[in-house]
Amino acid sequence: MNQPNPGSPSTHHRRIACSFRDQSLFQIFQISLTSLHQLKNDAIDRLRELALSLSLKCLSFDFVGTSIDESSEEFGTVQIPSPWKPVVEDFSTLQIFFDYYALTKPPMSKESLECLVRLASVRRSLFTNDAARSKFLDHLMSGTKEILRTGQGLADHDNYHEFCRLLGRFKVNYQLSELVTMEGYVDWIRLVAEFTSKSLQSWQWASSSVYYLLGLWSRLVSSVPYLKGDAPSLLDEFVPKITEGFIVSRLDSVQAGLPDDISEHPLDNVDLLQDQLDSFPYLCRFQYESSSMFIINILEPVLQVYVEKGQLQTSDNGELSVVEAKLAWIVHIIAAILKTKQSVGCSVESQEVIDAELSARVLRLVNVADSGVHSQRYGELSKQRLDRAILTFFQHLRKSYVGDQAMHSSKQLYTRLSELLGLHDHLLLLDFIVRKIATNLKCYTMSEEVIDHTLSLFLELASGYVTGKLLLKLDTIKFIVAHHNREHFPFLEEYRCSKSRTTFYYIIGWLIFMEDSPVLFKSSMAPLLKVFITLESTPDAMFRTDTVKYALIGLMRDLRGIAMATNSRRTYGFLFDWLYPVHMPIVLRGVSHWADTPEVTTPLLKFMAEFVLNKAQRVTFDTSSPNGILLFREVSKLLVAYGSRILSLSKATDIYAFKYKGIWISLTILSRALSGNYVNFGVFELYGDRSLADALDIALKMALSIPLVDILAYRKLTRAYFAFLEVLFNSHIVFVLNLHTSAFMHIVSSLESGLKGLDVGISSQCASAIDNLAAFYFHNITMGEAPTSPAAINFASHIAECPSLLPEILRTLFEIVLFEDCGNQWNLSRPMLSLILLSEQMYSGLKAHILASQPVDQHQRLSLCFDKLMADVVRSLDSKNRDKFTQNLTVFRHDFRVK
């Protein structure tokens, strides 16, 4: 969805924050601590609350200007300044927050824990020495141990969640070797293990908190290889129990059913689920053999039940849904394990054998899931969740054992898979995966999530250099390439899955073009050719029917996918010669009849935007070929047909979807065609062809029809608009200069707005456009005797009507460079020099304006800075002089900002 552009904090605000941090923040924190000590035995809750809140705000301050995402609970090390050291090392500082946690009720007790979380995250280098740091850790461990022992306050969900975060910080900020040397470590780790086990059993209540605990345990086991000394970690005793507890808790959650107030099923968001499972594989692989046997022993009976129910004529949907949900959880867990190959105390060979044991069970499940009663359940949510789990498993299995880097180092896995399932090499495993992909594409007609996930896996396989070549050897792939129609893949006919068609045909195109065969290409395009023939034979009177509408939408999405797959001159030539001139008229006809229907125009325009994009120099024709010019003519006709109609239509309720989206795609089409370097645009004027003039004229009318505030509000529209202006000012500036003065002023003023927008890419595009404009003025007016060309005369007339236009832009450029953290100073320096050289008077006026805004005692120093800026810079815009000015500007910016 297109979102309005966000703003950004200025450097000035950051300086104020730094000054506040250095001069006042520590004293405020000390005041808050003093108040907490004084109010400890008073029952004035409001004052306690204010003092505690003040402490938390001090500890949450962005000390180094990293702009922490406040929507996230995660943060790194807290970079508390060195002057705070005595207070942080003081025993009473930690203790006061533990005391307040014990004394108060939520939400004050939660804020106490939040303060402790931040203190637990203090940077290591703050402490005087290792002894001071160990003392701090010992105090932290003792305090949390007491809470674990008594369970005080943990009946409150917010307290519970924050306490889990506090425990999670132990291994983030401390090494296992430090933890085990603490006197109370044995009791502490036992209590944490018990607390974790209870949390896993209370999955309904603690589901969002348990991942902090799993993160703690995963980091602990990952550190075991680096643990030195004789102090026992006791992880061997506790980690297997936690691993088993987690697996059992997931299955128990299925059996018990979900609470009514849950907003989303935990198995529905696959990406989030895998993120949450990231820590778990480290626990499994810590004692991999026993953990894997536990998983297999859990999986086998569930799988047996699933097999038996699949063999029945009918089956209870509720029971099957529970079984499928359990299987989905187990498959997700196995997928997460395969994703992470790191293990402790287990050889690579034995690890591969165990991976094969787990994988074989999932592969057996795949065969069962698409047979018997189960093959009639593709419309059931539980079945879709299971298949998405299987797809996730295939993705991680591919990356670990089928990918381009992994196939030559996985002998043990394939040896074991051969014994269990007869899959003795990667080609057979690849074929197994592809057959599942084909089954999903054939059987799922209405589930966008499963179709998209399946295509994502398919694309990963097709785009791999080795796996892509291997796919072409498979009969299943040959069938898909030859029969990609709705009869074999019904989802292509389902409108809700229409966006997936582009990805599907991108993959089809990718596979076709690997062969580099025009015969294969033409035979593979047969299904699309049938659609073209049907549309071309449809009379105009019938062209506004739903049948034509959906056929056009599907065809344009399909063609865009094929066009995306052309990455060389030869493959692009296959598509161009197939489409032009026979089939291109249907594109123009589609826009002419459906201009008021974004459902049709959006995929149509997006296809053309892809078709004219000269990526990897694919749009390259022979020197004697007119194809580049002919292609641009088609672009011009399309834009004129769309633009003239969209501008005449009345306003809609959703102006972005109805109008702005089509316009930004149109501007993108023209920008790509103008900058593609496959058209000699001088030909059009030479032979009186208005294709170029008409395209530029309608594009500008569309752009000017949108208020600037709306252009700047929608991110994609903003990018397309300024990309178009950059190309326009770079290659067709005469067209801009010949505009009416009001239109010219509007466009140039919008460039100034783009400079201020703080999007570095857009700012650089605007700078380039302004540089081209100023360079034209410099070469044709400033350095010329008198304007002679019509464009130069028009330019002089525009400036005469608005003499402040260019000085305002130069002032904006100086303000950005001097007072903001600009990441594109080199780009901004180009138009600055061009504008400075236009007029000595303009530069002198700007210099006086900037000096007047600074303290009087700084004027002499800053005046010298301005003199140095132009040192050794001559009145020229050659590259050597530009580079000299850019170097001077860097020094100028540094000297100017020094107080």
Side-chain angles (χ1 to χ4, degrees):
M1 184 177 175
N2 200 48
Q3 297 289 341
N5 293 336
S8 299
S10 69
T11 308
H12 180 63
H13 292 157
R14 185 63 224 160
R15 286 178 180 169
I16 293 173
C18 291
S19 176
F20 172 74
R21 176 199 66 197
D22 296 338
Q23 297 176 16
S24 307
L25 187 61
F26 183 41
Q27 287 84 349
I28 294 172
F29 182 57
Q30 288 177 306
I31 290 170
S32 72
L33 290 177
T34 302
S35 302
L36 287 172
H37 283 289
Q38 291 173 347
L39 295 167
K40 181 178 174 182
N41 297 316
D42 292 337
I44 310 174
D45 282 349
R46 180 58 183 157
L47 290 178
R48 284 178 168 184
E49 185 180 336
L50 289 171
L52 196 56
S53 179
L54 183 59
S55 291
L56 178 59
K57 284 181 168 59
C58 290
L59 291 169
S60 304
F61 189 80
D62 187 5
F63 291 101
V64 291
T66 51
S67 301
I68 296 169
D69 179 8
E70 293 187 7
S71 66
S72 170
E73 292 186 333
E74 291 309 310
F75 54 88
T77 303
V78 178
Q79 301 290 337
I80 285 182
S82 297
W84 294 43
K85 182 191 298 183
V87 172
V88 173
E89 290 183 348
D90 189 336
F91 178 89
S92 65
T93 302
L94 269 182
Q95 190 57 46
I96 193 65
F97 294 114
F98 278 117
D99 290 344
Y100 265 75
Y101 173 74
L103 289 170
T104 60
K105 296 179 180 180
M108 288 174 64
S109 54
K110 173 182 174 281
E111 288 197 348
S112 301
L113 288 174
E114 286 187 81
C115 292
L116 288 167
V117 169
R118 279 154 178 78
L119 285 170
S121 308
V122 170
R123 61 187 174 95
R124 299 175 66 91
S125 56
L126 178 71
F127 295 92
T128 305
N129 49 39
D130 289 343
R133 182 177 161 76
S134 294
K135 187 177 178 182
F136 183 86
L137 174 58
D138 183 62
H139 191 189
L140 198 59
M141 189 176 280
S142 299
T144 53
K145 187 167 63 175
E146 183 61 22
I147 295 173
L148 287 166
R149 190 179 60 78
T150 62
Q152 183 175 8
L154 297 180
D156 178 81
H157 189 275
D158 288 339
N159 281 354
Y160 190 95
H161 185 74
E162 206 60 41
F163 185 67
C164 289
R165 291 183 68 202
L166 176 58
L167 291 177
R169 299 309 295 182
F170 270 83
K171 184 56 189 73
V172 172
N173 223 31
Y174 300 92
Q175 300 302 321
L176 179 59
S177 55
E178 294 176 287
L179 295 173
V180 297
T181 57
M182 294 292 107
E183 185 178 340
Y185 171 77
V186 173
D187 289 337
W188 180 81
I189 197 70
R190 177 180 54 78
L191 288 168
V192 172
E194 291 173 1
F195 178 72
T196 304
S197 296
K198 289 177 183 176
S199 298
L200 291 171
Q201 291 166 13
S202 308
W203 59 269
Q204 288 176 303
W205 194 70
S207 58
S208 61
S209 310
V210 75
Y211 299 103
Y212 296 107
L213 301 176
L214 292 180
L216 167 66
W217 288 102
S218 71
R219 286 186 285 269
L220 288 171
V221 298
S222 298
S223 301
V224 168
Y226 314 104
L227 184 61
K228 297 177 181 178
D230 299 327
S233 68
L234 302 181
L235 297 181
D236 290 340
E237 178 184 346
F238 298 124
V239 170
K241 294 177 183 176
I242 291 166
T243 305
E244 294 172 8
F246 177 81
I247 296 169
V248 170
S249 72
R250 300 306 96 186
L251 301 189
D252 286 348
S253 71
V254 173
Q255 197 68 47
L258 294 169
D260 295 332
D261 60 346
I262 192 165
S263 59
E264 182 182 47
H265 195 287
L267 290 170
D268 282 342
N269 192 332
V270 173
D271 293 333
L272 178 61
L273 177 60
Q274 283 296 306
D275 286 343
Q276 293 173 339
L277 287 173
D278 271 351
S279 300
F280 186 66
Y282 297 98
L283 306 188
C284 282
R285 290 187 181 273
F286 180 59
Q287 292 188 359
Y288 196 20
E289 192 169 341
S290 62
S291 297
S292 63
M293 284 306 301
F294 182 80
I295 294 172
I296 290 170
N297 290 336
I298 286 278
L299 173 58
E300 288 286 4
V302 182
L303 181 55
Q304 185 58 41
V305 171
Y306 195 55
V307 171
E308 291 169 359
K309 289 189 177 294
Q311 294 170 348
L312 301 174
Q313 293 298 318
T314 58
S315 191
D316 183 283
N317 276 345
E319 288 182 27
L320 260 181
S321 294
V322 170
V323 174
E324 284 168 340
K326 287 183 177 182
L327 290 170
W329 267 114
I330 297 170
V331 173
H332 272 301
I333 288 169
I334 293 173
I337 293 170
L338 290 180
K339 182 181 176 182
T340 307
K341 296 187 74 172
Q342 177 183 339
S343 66
V344 178
C346 183
S347 68
V348 174
E349 291 77 11
S350 59
Q351 193 176 171
E352 282 188 16
V353 172
I354 299 172
D355 286 353
E357 293 281 352
L358 293 173
S359 300
R361 269 70 181 183
V362 180
L363 296 174
R364 182 180 166 217
L365 167 63
V366 173
N367 287 330
V368 174
D370 293 317
S371 63
V373 170
H374 308 310
S375 62
Q376 302 164 22
R377 290 178 51 80
Y378 294 106
E380 300 292 332
L381 278 174
S382 57
K383 166 70 171 165
Q384 293 168 17
R385 289 169 185 142
L386 174 57
D387 270 328
R388 292 199 69 192
I390 289 169
L391 291 168
T392 303
F393 162 77
F394 279 141
Q395 285 178 308
H396 296 324
L397 180 66
R398 182 202 71 80
K399 288 172 185 172
S400 296
Y401 291 110
V402 191
D404 299 338
Q405 304 298 320
M407 290 195 299
H408 304 295
S409 58
S410 310
K411 293 180 180 178
Q412 296 300 322
L413 177 117
Y414 287 106
T415 300
R416 188 60 183 140
L417 282 181
S418 177
E419 295 168 1
L420 294 169
L421 298 173
L423 300 174
H424 54 75
D425 65 13
H426 47 257
L427 189 60
L428 287 174
L429 183 56
L430 200 59
D431 183 55
F432 189 100
I433 296 171
V434 167
R435 280 189 280 113
K436 177 57 180 171
I437 288 171
T439 300
N440 282 4
L441 296 178
K442 180 180 178 180
C443 298
Y444 280 103
T445 56
M446 301 179 70
S447 174
E448 295 171 77
E449 292 81 8
V450 177
I451 292 294
D452 287 344
H453 201 157
T454 303
L455 290 173
S456 176
L457 172 62
F458 197 6
L459 181 58
E460 286 177 18
L461 294 173
S463 56
Y465 180 76
V466 176
T467 52
K469 294 286 186 184
L470 289 172
L471 287 181
L472 297 175
K473 299 179 181 180
L474 304 177
D475 291 339
T476 308
I477 292 296
K478 292 174 184 176
F479 180 87
I480 293 173
V481 170
H483 301 89
H484 47 87
N485 51 42
R486 61 189 182 185
E487 285 76 23
H488 292 93
F489 301 106
F491 84 91
L492 294 173
E493 198 172 17
E494 185 63 40
Y495 181 69
R496 73 177 71 182
C497 296
S498 61
K499 289 185 178 180
S500 304
R501 296 177 69 139
T502 302
T503 308
F504 179 66
Y505 274 91
Y506 175 48
I507 299 165
I508 296 293
W510 193 286
L511 293 169
I512 292 170
F513 294 135
M514 277 186 187
E515 288 284 302
D516 198 21
S517 165
V519 176
L520 175 64
F521 172 75
K522 286 187 178 180
S523 64
S524 301
M525 290 297 100
L528 300 188
L529 183 59
K530 287 181 182 179
V531 182
F532 265 119
I533 292 170
T534 303
L535 290 173
E536 288 161 356
S537 62
T538 304
D540 285 350
M542 302 289 291
F543 215 77
R544 284 283 294 190
T545 62
D546 280 351
T547 303
V548 171
K549 173 183 174 180
Y550 293 122
L552 259 178
I553 292 170
L555 180 62
M556 291 302 125
R557 292 192 187 282
D558 301 346
L559 286 174
R560 182 181 169 213
I562 298 291
M564 287 165 61
T566 61
N567 285 315
S568 68
R569 175 182 176 181
R570 182 169 170 78
T571 55
Y572 183 86
F574 292 167
L575 181 60
F576 183 87
D577 293 339
W578 186 73
L579 282 175
Y580 188 88
V582 179
H583 302 306
M584 285 303 287
I586 206 68
V587 179
L588 183 61
R589 196 175 170 203
V591 157
S592 302
H593 283 82
W594 293 94
D596 61 342
T597 310
E599 289 172 279
V600 178
T601 56
T602 296
L604 191 150
L605 292 171
K606 283 190 172 183
F607 156 66
M608 187 56 80
E610 178 62 38
F611 193 55
V612 301
L613 176 62
N614 193 11
K615 62 182 181 185
Q617 295 301 304
R618 64 180 183 174
V619 191
T620 304
F621 303 106
D622 293 335
T623 53
S624 59
S625 170
N627 284 345
I629 294 168
L630 295 173
L631 177 58
F632 187 81
R633 276 183 172 177
E634 294 298 323
V635 169
S636 178
K637 286 188 283 186
L638 178 71
L639 293 179
V640 170
Y642 176 74
S644 58
R645 287 167 173 78
I646 201 69
L647 291 174
S648 65
L649 295 173
S650 57
K651 286 189 175 181
T653 50
D654 187 350
I655 192 70
Y656 176 80
F658 186 75
K659 181 180 178 182
Y660 293 173
K661 188 172 185 178
I663 290 177
W664 77 251
I665 302 172
S666 299
L667 294 178
T668 300
I669 292 171
L670 187 54
S671 300
R672 290 176 173 181
L674 292 174
S675 59
N677 202 30
Y678 48 82
V679 186
N680 184 342
F681 290 103
V683 169
F684 294 108
E685 186 176 0
L686 184 64
Y687 290 100
D689 188 325
R690 285 199 53 81
S691 295
L692 175 61
D694 288 346
L696 292 174
D697 183 56
I698 196 67
L700 203 61
K701 284 180 180 177
M702 286 192 285
L704 293 176
S705 73
I706 306 175
L708 182 58
V709 65
D710 285 356
I711 288 174
L712 297 174
Y714 296 99
R715 191 185 304 274
K716 291 181 179 179
L717 178 59
T718 309
R719 289 174 177 167
Y721 174 78
F722 287 112
F724 171 62
L725 290 191
E726 182 186 23
V727 174
L728 200 60
F729 278 75
N730 182 48
S731 307
H732 303 278
I733 195 168
V734 171
F735 175 81
V736 180
L737 297 176
N738 288 336
L739 292 171
H740 187 272
T741 299
S742 59
F744 174 82
M745 295 301 176
H746 176 85
I747 290 171
V748 177
S749 297
S750 72
L751 291 174
E752 185 181 1
S753 298
L755 285 175
K756 295 175 180 177
L758 296 182
D759 182 305
V760 173
I762 290 172
S763 173
S764 299
Q765 289 174 332
C766 294
S768 173
I770 293 166
D771 183 38
N772 284 311
L773 184 68
F776 184 94
Y777 193 100
F778 178 77
H779 290 304
N780 293 275
I781 299 176
T782 302
M783 300 302 287
E785 295 181 4
T788 53
S789 68
I793 293 169
N794 285 338
F795 197 178
S797 173
H798 296 324
I799 297 303
E801 285 198 37
C802 188
S804 65
L805 183 67
L806 297 181
E808 283 292 331
I809 292 175
L810 181 58
R811 186 173 78 174
T812 297
L813 286 164
F814 264 96
E815 287 174 350
I816 293 171
V817 169
L818 291 177
F819 305 120
E820 300 290 340
D821 278 336
C822 58
N824 59 337
Q825 185 178 311
W826 187 93
N827 304 84
L828 298 180
S829 71
R830 268 35 197 171
M832 289 177 75
L833 177 62
S834 303
L835 289 167
I836 287 171
L837 295 181
L838 296 189
S839 165
E840 290 281 349
Q841 183 181 356
M842 181 171 74
Y843 177 57
S844 299
L846 173 71
K847 177 180 172 182
H849 172 81
I850 293 176
L851 288 176
S853 68
Q854 301 298 310
V856 177
D857 61 342
Q858 296 291 322
H859 283 195
Q860 185 176 358
R861 181 181 68 81
L862 297 179
S863 182
L864 288 173
C865 291
F866 273 103
D867 293 340
K868 291 179 183 177
L869 175 62
M870 301 306 292
D872 299 324
V873 176
V874 298
R875 203 166 177 74
S876 166
L877 288 177
D878 60 52
S879 57
K880 183 179 179 181
N881 196 49
R882 284 178 179 274
D883 289 342
K884 180 59 183 174
F885 176 79
T886 302
Q887 292 171 10
N888 288 357
L889 183 64
T890 302
V891 176
F892 169 74
R893 181 171 185 262
H894 175 267
D895 292 347
F896 191 95
R897 292 158 70 110
V898 172
K899 295 298 183 181

